[in-house]
Amino acid sequence: MECKIEVNHKTLKVQEGESLLSALRQHGFKIPTMCHMNRFSPTGACRLCVVEVEGKSDLITSCSFPVEAGMKVQTNSQRVIKARKSLVELLLSDHPDDCLYCQRNGHCELQWLAAEMNVKERKYFAGKQKDNPDYSSTSVARDPAKCVLCSRCVRICEEVQRVTAIDFISRGTRTKVNSAFHKGLNVSSCIHCGQCIQVCPTAALTDISHLEKVNAALGNKKKQVMFVISPAAIVSVTELIQSKSKNKVRARLTAALKRLGASKVFDSGTAADIHVMEEARQLAELIRSKDKKDLPLISSCCPSWIRYAEGFKPQLTQHIAKVKSPGHIAGSLIKLNYAREHDVAMEDIYTVSVTPCVAKKYEASWEENTHKGVSEVDAVLTVRELFLLLRSFGLNLEQIEEEEMDAPYNHSSAAAIKLGYSGGKAESVAQELFNIMGGSKKEAFRFMQPKSITSKRETKVKIGKTQVGFAWVSSIAEAEDYLNELGESKRDDIHYIEVMACLGGCAGGGGQPISRGFEQPKARKKISVEMEKKAAWQKASGNTMAADLFERFSFRQNEIWEDPF
Amino acid sequence: MTVELEHIFKVYPNSKREDLIPMLQAIQDEQGYLTEDVIHEVGKYLGISVNKIYGVATFYDNFRFGPVGRYHFRLCHGTACHVAGASTLQKELQKLLKINAGETDKNGLFSLEVVSCIGACGLAPLIEVNEEYYTNITLESLKALVDKIREKENDVL
Amino acid sequence: MSLDAKLENRQFLINKVLLDPRRDEDAGVRKSLSYISGERVHKALIYVGMATCGKVAGAKKTFLAIQNYLQDHDIDVTLVEGGCVGFCREEPLVDVQLPGKARISFGNVTSDKVQPLLDDILNNNLPEQKPLGQYQNPILQQWDGVPFMEEHVFFAGQQRLLMDNCGIIDPVSIESYIAKGGYWSFTDTISTKTPAQVCDIIDKSGLAGRGGGGYSAGKKWNAALSTVSDNKYLVCNAVESDPGSYMNRAIIESNPHRLIEAVLIAAYAIGAGKAYIFIREEFSLAISRLEKAISQAREMGIIGHHIFESGVNINVAVKKGARAFVCGEETALINSLEGKRAMPSSKPPYPAEKGLWDHPTIVNNVETLFNVPLILKNGSEWFHDTGTKRSKGTKIFTLSGKLKNYGTVEVPMGMTFRDILNDIGGGMAGEKDFKAIVLGINSGSYITEETLDIKVDFDELKSIGGALGSGAFVVLDSGVCMVDMAKYFTAFFKNESCGKCIPCREGTARMLEVMENVTRRPSDNQSFQTLERFKGVMQLKNLAGVISETSLCSLGKSSPYAILNTLKHFKKEFDAHIFERKCAANICTDLRIYHIDVDACTGCTACFKKCPVDAIIGSPRYPHFIVQDKCIGCGTCFDVCKFNAVLIK
């Protein structure tokens, strides 16, 4: 129901019962916030969104106050501005002064707030806090000294990822965000999804950077540095480039990396296609077998999900497809197959994976992904790190020549590109299943999308004689709820479940450029769909190189890893 | 499990979140303090992350993660006691016991806790040692008390 | 009493008293009640005040001594572990009631005084130890020459509506409580009034929250009653972490059944089926007495299902709260009950709409609740007879600090602070002058010489920029440094802040840093630091407004007032600390620099011997020297030196 309120002496029409903050923002009023996250209930922790409301003696936090008909609000009175500025000064009072050396210099929310409030002097000098940074994890670096206790990371880890690897410890000024007994993140229940990094306003949470390693490798004459770019990373880069160069991103990125000193720039699409074919093959096997106990088959390309399953739902690990993720198929293809075919020693190759995923850094450290001490993937760069790398070498993707990616791994089908968003993987696998189990050989294949956000992400497809059920969930909360429900209802009509730990799939990955709000995955999906239309083949098996490799070698992961080549 | 907690868990058969604090209180009452193992077992039983439980336990003043001394000193530092000189007494007591507030000494003999308001404000300043109250204390009487305990303990050894 | 006699007693109390509204009209019933309540006794009764304050004063030892005496002399006497009448200065208190004679009270009865006291009194003789007083009662024979307790200066000015049974009845005897009118309100209410009517009565009475909030209890209840929900909760806030307040604990220990009755009526009024009494876990005596009282009430059918066939179902449970001052804030308390960190939540939504587990919840203070059975029994108009126009009823204060009569007192709203201090409180103790009265820590108020004549009234305190607070009443004399008090309160807030919101978490820390700077040991670079200190204090004034306007809960909102009020009333002391680096009251030890004048010192070693921290070095007949690093500034050397050789810089 609509009602009228007065803001800064102007009358506005708003919806009764909605929060004052959202009403103000919809009408274009600028209200700073810190602890606020869209789609999460307000906590009223930071107090930055305070406004003056007639009849209330104190200032009111607009995030937690519902609109009331006839209320009179002032969003920028002297009192309000003074309060907001003081709050920012208080935040700065025990924040380190090392902006120039900080990873988030230039795009830090606290910096932005200080600039907005016109903070020009350090008013308070607090005692130095003894907070050692925690670099124990393979993926997420913590620097508690920069933490502003906004609670966003805690909430996303608890409410969206259902892990609670970190929480508030102690009380008052001694409050810290940490895991129990102040142990490092590497021994906590962290699943390395990196969603906390996405929501952190400062550099309290960042990637464990592989830039130094990569720089060292690039400078090492003995090493042949080979970049493997995932299609999802191409999508992310495309999103940030100006319109003219959008369809040239692959070529320009290749050129840029070659200028850096990369000896090869590959597309991980081939590996992704192989991965999809293997999962489809395993699915077909399970559907055809008499024993249905290992159904449904659950996707295996998300290392965060695998970590979650191992830690929290061990009974589900038998359902996970036995195949490496595309990144590691690519790594093993390069280090074992390519190396042998081109007579290069495995130790002389340095593979760098570029991906919007932070958990890949964790995956690269798994024992099954190393051979005699040599990792399949030597370094993983997130899209963020990629930009830092290019910038530090003075490379501008807007103004650079174009170069083709290197053979033999330089193509991907539309199926490989689809892996970058939630639902895409399931679709690709379904398409392949058509191939294997008969039925019409559809080239372009899209699932029926569910009608609303709340309806389940499931669909049934008739493949051959079987009605095969596919489901896709993103974020652990959705995954957990869905899997629990499936288990309780004892349904047997779902045969394949795609699980992505990040909301929206890799489009919302922990390694994506940081943006507030949750709108980016949609935008990235749109770009992805455009790219799929231009792909050389629609389904995974259409990729001739991938099909050939798939034919020659076995990519099934058994208990003991065997060199498939 | 390394710690026996079944008898405490039995009291809370439906394992709900609101049982967390009473459970931790019961465990500490029995065992004197909480340990990492205890937190893990409680986490498993209630289905709550260990990090969350640790966050709850460290919020409140009364949960401990280490044992108290054989002689646990509780010095009151409420308003009336402050007016009666509790600050100076605290500094002195810390020197006498050779520990800071919130610590236990290496031999497990003494531990010190500063509390705000035992609720006998007329008899300020006061201190409680193992449930014995000493009222209207002075620097001298404090020193005498600590000396007496040290003497007694040395005799026993 | 035999089991049969007990059951008969119980049936009598239920049928003839609780369920019969005309109980008072029967002379036979009245006589029985007179004996059951302890007003009259068949055999001698000895009552030892054993609330926590009594125990701290040594009442346990007194009790044991009495027990031993009775055993040794083979005397059959009813011995009661009692509650607290409030006169803590006189603890341990022992009351004796012989059959037919008025109850007589003796103060300061330490265990060594037991034998001579009992030797005389049990033989109907007044002992050598002067009694504190006797309780007036026309149906009992008075003791000759013993003054009445009611006329004692400590009690004369009080109006004991809530504390009427405290220190008089056996706290854990439900029979005595019922005999004295207890639970009558509850059973009458559930059989004759609807919940809406009860809320209305409380609203009309003007009962305002006694925890410091001062909100209308009735309005809160009405809000909860009108919110539709299957589950509603009544929570009693017995956290009481305000340093200097212990009246809630004292009245629970002395009369737990009154709290239970109040909680039951309140739960009925809002439509709640479950009531929780959230009490600090350190209050072990209060908890054990409360739990015993609850099981007694349950056994009697007063708590539980279909109470006395009324269709009303209410269950009462005690919840032990883990220790944090912020638990006293109602939304933080609710979060703590739910098993979370006690961080306050934003309001709206208010607990009356969405509280415990998102259900309508009312959180009431203990003292507020204690008023409820009386208001229901006597009516809202009766409540208006006491108090002022805006503040009805009484207020309980815990008097402490530098005054003669300390303890727990109940005064009518409208009494002046001067009268409380000088009449009831007996005036200042010691020779130093009155400086200020500190009320509850969340009140942000000082009562100074200028405001001593204001009345105990919510509005009058608001007019001086403060609040009534929880009821703490700490008297300060000129020996107290107000800058140090401001620092103490700021440190308290900083330590107890939950850390959720920026203004309180960071603000209290910054304010404390300013205060520590003001009281820090001076070093060489004087003028630069003076400017720093002054700047700090000025910044503080700016910051204080922001902290109090933007903080999430009342802890943060009231945190700056300790400093602001000290600045307002005691600016001279502040200036002396900042500019002259002097503490007039000699409390700020870092500002006390003692040194020995080598010319005046005779080497008598008096100071050397007396120094409690061995900070003085020197040999006999040679001038002594104070080691500044070890010196704690206690001033003992200054006191003992006969040659004026110890100087304060």
Side-chain angles (χ1 to χ4, degrees):
Chain A
M1 208 172 61
E2 260 195 9
C3 70
K4 292 209 183 106
I5 62 171
E6 191 184 294
V7 180
N8 297 353
H9 304 294
K10 277 219 251 340
T11 311
L12 300 176
K13 283 208 196 106
V14 294
Q15 287 292 101
E16 199 160 359
E18 69 169 333
S19 82
L20 186 54
L21 177 67
S22 82
L24 290 171
R25 279 184 165 168
Q26 267 169 43
H27 282 89
F29 289 93
K30 222 173 164 188
I31 312 284
T33 55
M34 173 80 90
C35 65
H36 177 77
M37 281 206 287
N38 283 329
R39 301 192 206 161
F40 282 75
S41 59
T43 60
C46 69
R47 322 304 289 170
L48 280 171
C49 63
V50 285
V51 293
E52 219 176 310
V53 174
E54 196 181 86
K56 303 274 178 195
S57 55
D58 289 331
L59 297 176
I60 302 293
T61 45
S62 48
C63 64
S64 59
F65 203 82
V67 152
E68 281 165 3
M71 68 191 307
K72 296 204 178 124
V73 182
Q74 289 269 47
T75 66
N76 51 10
S77 64
Q78 287 285 332
R79 219 173 129 205
V80 169
I81 300 298
K82 178 178 163 193
R84 288 194 196 143
K85 186 171 182 186
S86 300
L87 289 171
V88 174
E89 283 169 345
L90 282 174
L91 262 186
L92 292 169
S93 67
D94 63 5
H95 198 83
D97 271 336
D98 62 354
C99 288
L100 293 178
Y101 306 97
C102 180
Q103 258 214 44
R104 295 287 291 265
N105 186 18
H107 53 280
C108 159
E109 284 183 45
L110 190 56
Q111 260 183 349
W112 182 85
L113 281 167
E116 284 286 299
M117 306 291 157
N118 203 23
V119 173
K120 287 286 173 271
E121 60 167 321
R122 177 171 262 284
K123 263 197 189 152
Y124 312 106
F125 294 84
K128 285 273 174 220
Q129 301 205 38
K130 278 189 294 182
D131 287 322
N132 296 321
D134 170 19
Y135 299 130
S136 63
S137 164
T138 46
S139 329
V140 179
R142 289 184 336 107
D143 191 355
K146 298 191 176 158
C147 177
V148 291
L149 298 171
C150 67
S151 78
R152 283 159 38 178
C153 59
V154 171
R155 295 190 76 185
I156 208 158
C157 193
E158 181 183 348
E159 294 173 38
V160 177
Q161 300 300 67
R162 303 267 176 98
V163 172
T164 320
I166 44 175
D167 205 337
F168 286 110
I169 310 282
S170 216
R171 187 180 78 205
T173 40
R174 301 180 300 277
T175 310
K176 294 276 170 279
V177 172
N178 206 335
S179 38
F181 302 97
H182 307 276
K183 295 190 162 171
L185 259 188
N186 61 334
V187 296
S188 73
S189 46
C190 172
I191 62 172
H192 305 262
C193 63
Q195 290 301 298
C196 53
I197 302 176
Q198 281 293 321
V199 294
C200 181
T202 63
L205 289 163
T206 51
D207 306 306
I208 293 281
S209 179
H210 284 190
L211 278 174
E212 259 186 61
K213 287 207 288 197
V214 171
N215 264 320
L218 286 168
N220 184 343
K221 295 208 172 75
K222 292 200 208 115
K223 292 276 185 188
Q224 289 194 38
V225 182
M226 304 190 179
F227 281 79
V228 183
I229 319 283
S230 73
I234 304 281
V235 168
S236 303
V237 176
T238 309
E239 199 206 1
L240 296 170
I241 299 295
Q242 296 309 305
S243 48
K244 264 192 292 175
S245 344
K246 267 205 196 310
N247 35 5
K248 315 278 186 180
V249 166
R250 273 171 65 107
R252 288 179 182 229
L253 189 54
T254 308
L257 290 171
K258 287 290 180 67
R259 281 217 208 166
L260 280 178
S263 74
K264 296 280 176 209
V265 178
F266 294 126
D267 187 327
S268 74
T270 308
D273 287 326
I274 294 173
H275 173 90
V276 167
M277 286 190 272
E278 177 59 35
E279 280 203 357
R281 198 184 61 74
Q282 289 183 16
L283 180 58
E285 215 175 84
L286 286 172
I287 292 176
R288 284 175 183 148
S289 81
K290 294 210 183 83
D291 179 10
K292 305 279 180 210
K293 71 167 166 57
D294 283 338
L295 279 173
L297 184 70
I298 307 184
S299 67
S300 65
C301 53
C302 178
S304 212
W305 149 246
I306 294 181
R307 173 78 179 91
Y308 176 81
E310 285 172 359
F312 293 80
K313 298 243 183 289
Q315 70 276 20
L316 290 177
T317 50
Q318 70 190 72
H319 292 269
I320 298 178
K322 294 170 181 41
V323 57
K324 285 190 193 229
S325 70
H328 281 270
I329 292 178
S332 59
L333 272 175
I334 296 169
K335 291 225 178 175
L336 298 169
N337 191 37
Y338 177 88
R340 285 179 200 147
E341 283 183 5
H342 292 79
D343 204 18
V344 182
M346 193 166 69
E347 296 75 19
D348 290 344
I349 300 181
Y350 195 89
T351 43
V352 181
S353 199
V354 179
T355 158
C357 177
V358 154
K360 298 285 177 199
K361 295 182 193 254
Y362 169 58
E363 194 185 21
S365 70
W366 290 356
E367 221 195 285
E368 60 257 40
N369 292 336
T370 56
H371 315 293
K372 298 175 195 162
V374 181
S375 333
E376 288 168 352
V377 174
D378 290 299
V380 176
L381 291 181
T382 59
V383 176
R384 297 190 287 263
E385 285 175 292
L386 175 69
F387 274 103
L388 287 173
L389 181 66
L390 295 175
R391 198 169 75 184
S392 66
F393 275 82
L395 295 164
N396 183 357
L397 287 178
E398 315 270 359
Q399 299 161 352
I400 200 168
E401 70 275 15
E402 286 148 33
E403 229 181 278
E404 284 293 311
M405 274 194 178
D406 289 301
Y409 314 121
N410 51 353
H411 293 294
S412 50
S413 66
I417 300 172
K418 273 188 207 174
L419 260 55
Y421 52 85
S422 174
K425 173 85 180 287
E427 222 171 64
S428 307
V429 171
Q431 221 168 348
E432 268 321 296
L433 204 60
F434 253 110
N435 226 25
I436 301 170
M437 285 172 61
S440 78
K441 295 205 187 274
K442 283 198 188 149
E443 278 299 316
F445 185 92
R446 292 225 85 98
F447 278 153
M448 286 282 289
Q449 289 298 319
K451 296 263 185 283
S452 75
I453 297 178
T454 48
S455 55
K456 277 191 280 227
R457 301 184 192 286
E458 281 179 357
T459 195
K460 303 266 172 61
V461 190
K462 189 108 191 270
I463 302 182
K465 295 200 196 103
T466 328
Q467 188 82 306
V468 186
F470 291 88
W472 57 100
V473 284
S474 66
S475 85
I476 301 290
E478 206 182 340
E480 197 181 82
D481 289 341
Y482 184 77
L483 290 164
N484 284 342
E485 199 203 307
L486 211 59
E488 272 164 33
S489 63
K490 298 198 200 293
R491 286 169 62 189
D492 60 355
D493 56 340
I494 299 293
H495 300 87
Y496 180 82
I497 308 175
E498 171 207 302
V499 179
M500 298 294 171
C502 297
L503 188 61
C506 306
Q512 294 284 13
I514 293 174
S515 56
R516 279 187 87 173
F518 299 95
E519 300 312 306
Q520 302 319 102
K522 271 195 238 160
R524 290 176 192 135
K525 182 173 173 175
K526 241 174 142 179
I527 295 173
S528 214
V529 169
E530 286 303 308
M531 272 175 65
E532 287 164 38
K533 290 192 186 138
K534 302 202 185 85
W537 315 281
Q538 284 305 301
K539 49 185 164 91
S541 48
N543 182 341
T544 43
M545 165 114 269
D548 175 56
L549 286 163
F550 186 68
E551 195 96 358
R552 284 156 61 193
F553 307 110
S554 164
F555 288 91
R556 187 192 181 89
Q557 278 284 79
N558 297 312
E559 287 302 323
I560 304 166
W561 191 89
E562 291 145 12
D563 181 343
F565 308 109
Chain B
M1 42 185 162
T2 49
V3 191
E4 218 284 270
L5 295 172
E6 271 308 320
H7 59 291
I8 293 180
F9 290 163
K10 269 207 197 101
V11 182
Y12 306 95
N14 297 325
S15 68
K16 290 188 280 220
R17 176 66 189 269
E18 64 253 30
D19 298 328
L20 174 61
I21 295 175
M23 218 182 255
L24 293 176
Q25 285 170 326
I27 296 172
Q28 183 167 288
D29 282 343
E30 194 180 276
Q31 298 178 0
Y33 57 102
L34 304 172
T35 61
E36 225 178 299
D37 285 336
V38 161
I39 303 288
H40 276 281
E41 292 302 324
V42 172
K44 265 201 279 191
Y45 182 72
L46 290 176
I48 303 176
S49 154
V50 162
N51 306 305
K52 195 147 232 40
I53 298 178
Y54 188 72
V56 170
T58 49
F59 183 88
Y60 301 99
D61 293 328
N62 53 303
F63 289 118
R64 296 185 278 264
F65 287 90
V68 291
R70 290 199 293 286
Y71 292 88
H72 182 60
F73 281 68
R74 295 176 81 220
L75 173 69
C76 182
H77 204 160
T79 314
C81 288
H82 180 82
V83 165
S87 289
T88 317
L89 287 169
Q90 181 180 335
K91 276 193 220 152
E92 223 7 66
L93 194 51
Q94 285 177 174
K95 275 198 224 153
L96 285 171
L97 303 178
K98 302 202 176 62
I99 46 174
N100 284 327
E103 293 175 2
T104 307
D105 72 8
K106 282 181 297 194
N107 308 319
L109 178 60
F110 291 126
S111 54
L112 174 61
E113 197 186 337
V114 175
V115 295
S116 64
C117 212
I118 289 180
C121 308
L123 299 161
L126 67 135
I127 195 165
E128 185 197 328
V129 185
N130 295 357
E131 299 186 15
E132 283 272 330
Y133 294 98
Y134 299 88
T135 58
N136 298 113
I137 49 171
T138 60
L139 282 171
E140 284 84 30
S141 66
L142 250 187
K143 189 153 189 275
L145 173 63
V146 176
D147 284 342
K148 194 167 119 186
I149 296 174
R150 281 199 198 277
E151 233 184 84
K152 182 173 170 206
E153 289 295 310
N154 279 332
D155 276 334
V156 170
L157 290 170
Chain C
M1 202 190 270
S2 70
L3 194 59
D4 282 333
K6 255 199 160 150
L7 281 168
E8 213 183 278
N9 218 11
R10 187 193 290 186
Q11 285 311 310
F12 165 73
L13 287 171
I14 295 177
N15 295 323
K16 290 280 189 228
V17 182
L18 288 181
L19 299 180
D20 186 350
R22 289 156 63 205
R23 44 187 89 87
D24 262 343
E25 296 169 24
D26 186 325
V29 168
R30 282 206 304 272
K31 189 170 180 201
S32 302
L33 291 182
S34 172
Y35 277 98
I36 299 175
S37 70
E39 187 194 8
R40 279 193 274 203
V41 292
H42 289 294
K43 64 175 174 181
L45 173 110
I46 303 182
Y47 185 100
V48 184
M50 283 181 72
T52 303
C53 47
K55 283 193 166 169
V56 173
K60 217 167 163 187
K61 293 196 184 107
T62 306
F63 187 85
L64 284 169
I66 297 176
Q67 245 180 356
N68 290 335
Y69 179 96
L70 296 172
Q71 246 172 13
D72 292 342
H73 292 75
D74 201 18
I75 303 176
D76 181 21
V77 150
T78 314
L79 180 57
V80 176
E81 274 187 61
C84 176
V85 77
F87 205 169
C88 302
R89 191 195 75 177
E90 296 289 326
E91 300 275 5
L93 271 155
V94 175
D95 288 6
V96 180
Q97 191 165 349
L98 302 178
K101 276 205 114 151
R103 183 169 166 146
I104 186 167
S105 194
F106 296 91
N108 294 125
V109 182
T110 42
S111 49
D112 53 305
K113 296 193 187 139
V114 164
Q115 192 188 330
L117 173 66
L118 294 184
D119 277 343
D120 282 324
I121 201 76
L122 289 177
N123 292 308
N124 215 343
N125 296 320
L126 279 173
E128 250 191 78
Q129 173 177 3
K130 202 157 158 242
L132 192 55
Q134 64 178 324
Y135 287 93
Q136 236 174 346
N137 194 331
I139 64 170
L140 299 169
Q141 192 194 10
Q142 307 295 304
W143 293 84
D144 282 329
V146 176
F148 291 126
M149 288 287 268
E150 292 85 349
E151 285 168 6
H152 191 292
V153 67
F154 185 76
F155 294 104
Q158 293 190 39
Q159 189 157 352
R160 293 167 72 90
L161 304 175
L162 310 177
M163 293 181 69
D164 52 349
N165 289 340
C166 296
I168 307 292
I169 64 164
D170 179 353
V172 287
S173 160
I174 191 170
E175 294 87 5
S176 314
Y177 180 67
I178 295 175
K180 276 210 140 186
Y183 292 118
W184 299 8
S185 267
F186 176 59
T187 45
D188 290 346
T189 300
I190 59 174
S191 58
T192 60
K193 299 190 179 65
T194 62
Q197 284 171 323
V198 178
C199 289
D200 208 37
I201 293 172
I202 296 294
D203 190 12
K204 285 206 170 76
S205 75
L207 177 64
R210 297 289 196 256
Y215 298 124
S216 157
K219 286 200 170 53
K220 264 167 82 164
W221 288 14
N222 264 319
L225 182 62
S226 55
T227 311
V228 177
S229 171
D230 284 339
N231 278 326
K232 295 189 196 178
Y233 298 96
L234 190 292
V235 177
C236 167
N237 181 347
V239 171
E240 195 168 58
S241 294
D242 191 335
S245 281
Y246 57 90
M247 79 289 277
N248 287 347
R249 187 190 57 190
I251 59 180
I252 296 178
E253 286 171 352
S254 309
N255 197 356
H257 281 289
R258 172 72 60 81
L259 181 61
I260 296 168
E261 184 178 3
V263 157
L264 287 168
I265 297 175
Y268 175 71
I270 65 170
K274 277 217 174 90
Y276 292 114
I277 301 175
F278 190 84
I279 182 166
R280 218 167 115 187
E281 66 160 22
E282 291 106 331
F283 293 172
S284 39
L285 180 62
I287 292 171
S288 76
R289 287 190 179 173
L290 203 48
E291 284 179 335
K292 194 159 178 203
I294 290 174
S295 73
Q296 287 174 346
R298 189 170 285 125
E299 249 182 65
M300 222 163 195
I302 296 171
I303 297 177
H305 281 283
H306 203 31
I307 298 171
F308 295 135
E309 317 282 308
S310 63
V312 175
N313 304 328
I314 301 175
N315 223 329
V316 182
V318 169
K319 287 282 182 186
K320 294 197 268 192
R323 190 176 3 129
F325 173 73
V326 71
C327 287
E329 201 278 336
E330 63 178 358
T331 53
L333 197 162
I334 288 173
N335 280 325
S336 192
L337 259 176
E338 292 184 6
K340 303 178 187 160
R341 290 159 62 90
M343 319 263 270
S345 311
S346 297
K347 296 194 274 205
Y350 289 90
E353 299 152 38
K354 243 186 166 192
L356 196 51
W357 302 299
D358 285 346
H359 293 289
T361 307
I362 290 293
V363 181
N364 276 137
N365 171 266
V366 170
E367 194 185 332
T368 316
L369 285 169
F370 257 62
N371 280 285
V372 167
L374 299 170
I375 297 174
L376 263 304
K377 190 188 214 161
N378 300 306
S380 41
E381 285 301 312
W382 163 83
F383 198 61
H384 293 173
D385 287 342
T386 314
T388 66
K389 192 165 166 215
R390 295 298 204 89
S391 309
K392 304 288 176 210
T394 60
K395 181 77 191 80
I396 303 181
F397 284 100
T398 38
L399 309 180
S400 63
K402 311 285 186 187
L403 80 173
K404 290 209 182 88
N405 297 339
Y406 50 84
T408 316
V409 304
E410 186 180 348
V411 303
M413 293 277 199
M415 185 176 243
T416 65
F417 283 92
R418 191 187 294 277
D419 287 343
I420 299 177
L421 173 62
N422 290 330
D423 295 344
I424 300 178
M428 300 296 293
E431 277 123 34
K432 301 209 167 91
D433 293 328
F434 170 79
K435 201 171 209 184
I437 302 174
V438 182
L439 300 181
I441 200 163
N442 56 352
S443 71
S445 318
Y446 285 133
I447 305 290
T448 56
E449 189 66 56
E450 291 83 35
T451 48
L452 260 181
D453 289 306
I454 72 161
K455 302 195 181 91
V456 174
D457 174 85
F458 290 109
D459 285 348
E460 283 215 15
L461 275 145
K462 217 171 165 181
S463 71
I464 61 162
L468 194 49
S470 57
F473 189 110
V474 186
V475 179
L476 310 177
D477 64 13
S478 57
V480 175
C481 170
M482 297 314 286
V483 175
D484 176 68
M485 287 309 291
K487 185 170 81 163
Y488 165 75
F489 286 130
T490 312
F492 180 83
F493 283 119
K494 183 220 173 202
N495 196 40
E496 295 293 341
S497 166
C498 76
K500 180 170 177 179
C501 71
I502 297 171
C504 175
R505 179 183 77 229
E506 306 291 339
T508 51
R510 300 296 87 79
M511 289 196 294
L512 181 61
E513 279 154 18
V514 171
M515 293 308 296
E516 281 177 342
N517 215 6
V518 167
T519 55
R520 182 158 293 137
R521 192 151 263 249
S523 60
D524 302 320
N525 197 344
Q526 287 283 3
S527 57
F528 164 82
Q529 288 182 341
T530 309
L531 184 63
E532 282 288 308
R533 283 189 298 275
F534 179 71
K535 218 171 116 185
V537 175
M538 287 301 110
Q539 259 172 13
L540 208 144
K541 276 179 133 168
N542 281 329
L543 188 58
V546 172
I547 295 174
S548 103
E549 281 184 330
T550 57
S551 285
L552 176 58
C553 79
S554 51
L555 190 159
K557 286 194 208 282
S558 48
S559 60
Y561 287 103
I563 303 182
L564 287 179
N565 278 333
T566 314
L567 269 173
K568 186 160 97 180
H569 297 290
F570 301 101
K571 187 157 191 302
K572 280 204 199 119
E573 278 188 60
F574 246 102
D575 287 343
H577 279 72
I578 296 173
F579 299 109
E580 295 156 51
R581 309 263 53 214
K582 272 207 173 14
C583 174
N586 235 354
I587 294 288
C588 297
T589 52
D590 274 351
L591 295 185
R592 282 193 229 151
I593 309 230
Y594 290 97
H595 66 278
I596 295 178
D597 179 354
V598 290
D599 296 320
C601 176
T602 62
C604 73
T605 75
C607 61
F608 171 79
K609 288 191 193 127
K610 280 284 178 181
C611 175
V613 293
D614 298 328
I616 302 181
I617 54 178
S619 350
R621 279 174 282 134
Y622 282 94
H624 283 28
F625 179 77
I626 299 175
V627 180
Q628 291 304 329
D629 286 338
K630 277 184 150 184
C631 174
I632 60 166
C634 68
T636 307
C637 54
F638 180 79
D639 293 331
V640 301
C641 181
K642 294 195 189 75
F643 302 96
N644 292 325
V646 178
L647 305 174
I648 307 174
K649 212 172 179 183

